[in-house]
């Protein structure tokens, strides 16, 4: 349950809160991180009615199974009721003088979370206690520690964005609030601990708090606080994007700037197969030239621009590898071999009319790259190859020659 309030009328607007929830939604739905089904990710943006928020969280809490994980996230203004010091989550119509009239008392959230069957519960609050104009949000009031203690529920891990009596930051020139920006950056890029620490396969809430805390301190911002009971801090939230997956098939990898290699240096690679015996992939950034005359003309309309032959790698350059992206929701056609989700390879022994309604994009490669068992993982562990956080649509970019540079810039 992701709640973001950006369009305040009586308090300073927080446009970053809207971007917070939409990008967190996309990350949590990514199969590289968590893979939450679309129907299980609920987003509320600028809800007006406090009861609407309460009902939505209660529905999510009731729908979460015992072995599931309930996550509730809020980004917006946080206010404190002057009469009883209770935390109020600000909605668009909130007035700092009477926040209880148009805000959501945190007690409502606590009760809804406490009523779930789920044994794993995570609440993340990116807010302060009063609105401030300008580039900051927050003000002097009850501290984070006190609010965290009040908000705590048995079995719930609570992560709050700022300490006592200090503002949580929302820099004007950044897409996200400061805390959520560091959170998103960590989820996207993953965690690479210094040697001799082992690479964690998943990010626990405690590891997320510790890493985001260090990043916030480096930037001169306030420290987030963590409260947890019943080992709540050890809840694994997402896969560590920096750790190699057991099956990397379908992953897009790009070379680190310092990595010098004839086949991989300044290249981007799509992994087509990965198992205990090794891995196979194709370079997706090396157009070689026009398609040869013997390539079947009837298949050319299905190819994505640039319609060229791509140099996939130095191995077995005696046949075509046709990487294919299917349309969403269509059944897998004959002669299509899945790699991951809608991405796979197509054998051209049939006719294009049989698959034209199913195909979204195709690209033709000659040759491939091969790695022995464990070799691809070694490249990733060394940082020579880096897993892209984007989708497999990168395979079909219309500017393949610029892809490696754009991935470097987007790290």
């Amino acid at each position: 349950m992701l709640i973001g309030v950006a369009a305040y009328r009586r308090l300073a607007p927080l446009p970053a809160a809207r971007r917070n929830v939409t990008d967190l939604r996309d990350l949590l739905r990514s199969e590289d991180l968590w893979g939450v089904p679309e129907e299980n990710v609920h987003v509320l943006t600028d809800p007006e009615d406090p009861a609407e928020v309460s009902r939505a969280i209660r529905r999510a809490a009731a729908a979460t199974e015992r072995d599931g994980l309930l996550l509730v996230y809020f980004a917006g203004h946080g206010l404190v009721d002057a009469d009883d010091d209770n935390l109020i989550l600000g909605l668009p119509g909130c007035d700092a003088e009477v926040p209880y009239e148009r805000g959501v008392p945190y007690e409502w959230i606590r009760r809804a979370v406490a009523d779930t069957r789920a044994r794993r519960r995570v609440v993340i609050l990116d807010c302060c206690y009063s609105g401030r104009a300008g580039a900051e949000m927050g003000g002097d009031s009850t501290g984070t520690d006190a609010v965290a203690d009040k908000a705590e529920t048995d079995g719930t891990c609570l992560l709050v964005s700022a300490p006592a009596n200090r503002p949580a930051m929302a820099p004007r020139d950044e897409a996200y609030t400061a805390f959520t920006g560091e959170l998103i950056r960590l989820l996207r890029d993953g965690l690479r601990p210094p040697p001799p620490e082992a690479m964690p396969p998943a990010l626990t809430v405690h590891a997320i708090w510790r890493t985001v805390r260090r990043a916030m301190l480096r930037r001169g911002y306030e420290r987030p606080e963590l409260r947890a009971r019943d080992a709540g801090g050890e809840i694994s939230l997402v896969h560590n994007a920096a750790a190699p997956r057991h099956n990397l098939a379908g992953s897009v990898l790009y070379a680190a700037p310092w990595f010098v290699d004839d086949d991989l240096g300044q290249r981007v690679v799509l992994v087509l197969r990965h198992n205990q015996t090794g891995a196979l992939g194709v370079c997706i950034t090396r157009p070689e030239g026009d398609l040869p005359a013997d390539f079947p003309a009837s298949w050319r309309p299905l190819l994505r621009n640039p319609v060229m032959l791509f140099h996939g790698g130095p191995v077995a350059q005696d046949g075509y590898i046709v990487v294919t992206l299917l349309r969403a929701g269509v059944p897998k056609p004959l002669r299509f071999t899945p790699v991951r989700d809608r991405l796979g390879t197509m054998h051209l022994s049939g006719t294009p009319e049989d698959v034209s309604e199913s195909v979204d994009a195709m690209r033709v490669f000659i040759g491939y790259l091969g790695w022995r068992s464990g070799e691809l993982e070694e490249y990733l562990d060394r940082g020579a190859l880096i897993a892209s956080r984007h989708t497999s649509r990168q395979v079909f970019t219309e500017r393949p020659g610029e892809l490696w540079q754009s991935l470097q810039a987007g790290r």
Side-chain angles (χ1 to χ4, degrees):
M1 188 73 235
L2 306 176
I3 306 160
V5 183
Y8 287 96
R9 295 188 291 276
R10 297 174 179 266
L11 305 173
L14 290 174
R18 184 178 294 109
R19 182 72 176 271
N20 283 1
V21 294
T22 56
D23 283 18
L24 277 175
R25 174 200 63 195
D26 293 343
L27 285 171
L28 296 177
R29 287 175 54 187
S30 167
E31 293 198 3
D32 290 331
L33 295 179
W34 187 350
V36 182
E38 181 177 359
E39 62 272 17
N40 290 353
V41 181
H42 307 286
V43 174
L44 278 181
T45 305
D46 296 326
E48 292 283 352
D49 184 2
E52 175 191 359
V53 177
S54 177
R55 286 193 297 267
I57 295 175
R58 284 190 282 111
R59 283 195 299 268
T64 308
E65 300 293 340
R66 180 172 175 78
D67 292 330
L69 189 156
L70 175 65
L71 170 66
V72 178
Y73 167 91
F74 173 82
H77 283 297
L79 307 169
V80 173
D81 189 328
D83 291 334
D84 56 17
D85 287 339
N86 285 332
L87 174 66
I88 306 292
L89 305 183
L91 299 188
C94 250
D95 187 329
E97 298 297 323
V98 284
Y100 49 84
E101 289 185 349
R102 298 299 300 167
V104 180
Y106 185 82
E107 177 65 14
W108 295 8
I109 311 303
R110 188 199 64 78
R111 290 183 182 183
V113 171
D115 287 342
T116 185
R117 293 167 292 179
R119 293 179 295 182
R120 298 175 296 161
R121 312 159 186 170
V122 178
V123 178
I124 301 176
L125 304 178
D126 189 356
C127 64
C128 292
Y129 315 116
S130 64
R132 280 180 58 172
E136 298 176 350
M137 58 181 181
D140 294 332
S141 192
T142 302
T144 297
D145 289 351
V147 173
D149 290 338
K150 289 182 179 183
E152 204 164 40
T153 297
D154 286 340
T156 296
C157 183
L158 175 67
L159 182 58
V160 186
S161 61
N165 301 319
R166 303 299 298 173
M169 303 299 292
R172 292 181 184 275
D173 57 349
E174 296 185 14
Y176 311 108
T177 58
F179 168 79
T180 298
E182 295 298 341
L183 173 63
I184 287 175
R185 186 173 295 109
L186 173 60
L187 298 186
R188 282 176 171 172
D189 296 346
L191 175 61
R192 292 182 178 276
E197 293 183 43
M199 176 81 75
L203 297 181
T204 65
V205 179
H206 185 269
I208 290 170
W209 163 71
R210 188 177 57 192
T211 307
V212 171
R213 181 177 181 270
R214 285 198 298 262
M216 295 284 281
L217 284 173
R218 284 196 301 267
R219 299 187 65 188
Y221 293 148
E222 303 299 334
R223 296 173 294 178
E225 298 287 343
L226 178 68
R227 293 289 182 270
R229 290 177 179 169
D230 298 334
E234 298 310 308
I235 293 173
S236 294
L237 192 59
V238 296
H239 173 77
N240 182 7
R245 296 174 62 93
H246 294 298
N247 184 0
L248 289 164
S251 298
V252 173
L253 312 178
Y254 60 98
W258 55 264
F259 182 44
V260 178
D261 184 272
D262 289 342
D263 296 316
L264 298 175
Q266 299 188 8
R267 308 292 186 197
V268 183
V269 172
L270 170 68
V271 181
L272 295 176
R273 188 177 68 207
H274 181 227
N275 53 36
Q276 294 180 345
T277 64
L280 178 152
V282 290
C283 176
I284 62 175
T285 51
R286 294 185 63 183
E288 190 164 81
D290 294 335
L291 289 169
D294 63 353
F295 186 85
S298 56
W299 287 94
R300 295 185 184 223
L302 296 180
L303 301 183
R304 177 67 59 89
N305 286 328
V307 180
M308 303 178 70
L309 181 68
F310 281 70
H311 178 86
V315 182
Q317 294 190 330
D318 55 355
Y320 301 125
I321 296 175
V322 183
V323 177
T324 304
L325 184 68
L326 298 182
R327 300 182 189 277
V330 303
K332 294 180 175 60
L334 293 175
R335 302 177 185 85
F336 175 81
T337 302
V339 171
R340 185 195 295 180
D341 302 328
R342 296 186 290 132
L343 187 69
T345 59
M346 184 77 73
H347 196 278
L348 301 184
S349 58
T351 60
E353 290 77 11
D354 296 334
V355 300
S356 59
E357 296 300 319
S358 302
V359 171
D360 185 21
M362 300 176 74
R363 184 147 285 174
V364 183
F365 299 83
I366 186 167
Y368 64 86
L369 296 154
W371 298 275
R372 56 175 170 76
S373 178
E375 187 177 12
L376 191 57
E377 292 88 336
E378 292 174 6
Y379 283 126
L380 288 163
D381 287 343
R382 288 168 48 206
L385 290 179
I386 302 166
S388 168
R389 63 175 181 256
H390 299 284
T391 68
S392 55
R393 277 194 172 273
Q394 291 171 324
V395 178
F396 304 97
T397 175
E398 294 187 358
R399 298 181 176 180
E402 300 175 10
L403 181 57
W404 182 80
Q405 290 89 343
S406 65
L407 289 174
Q408 289 294 327
R411 287 185 62 187

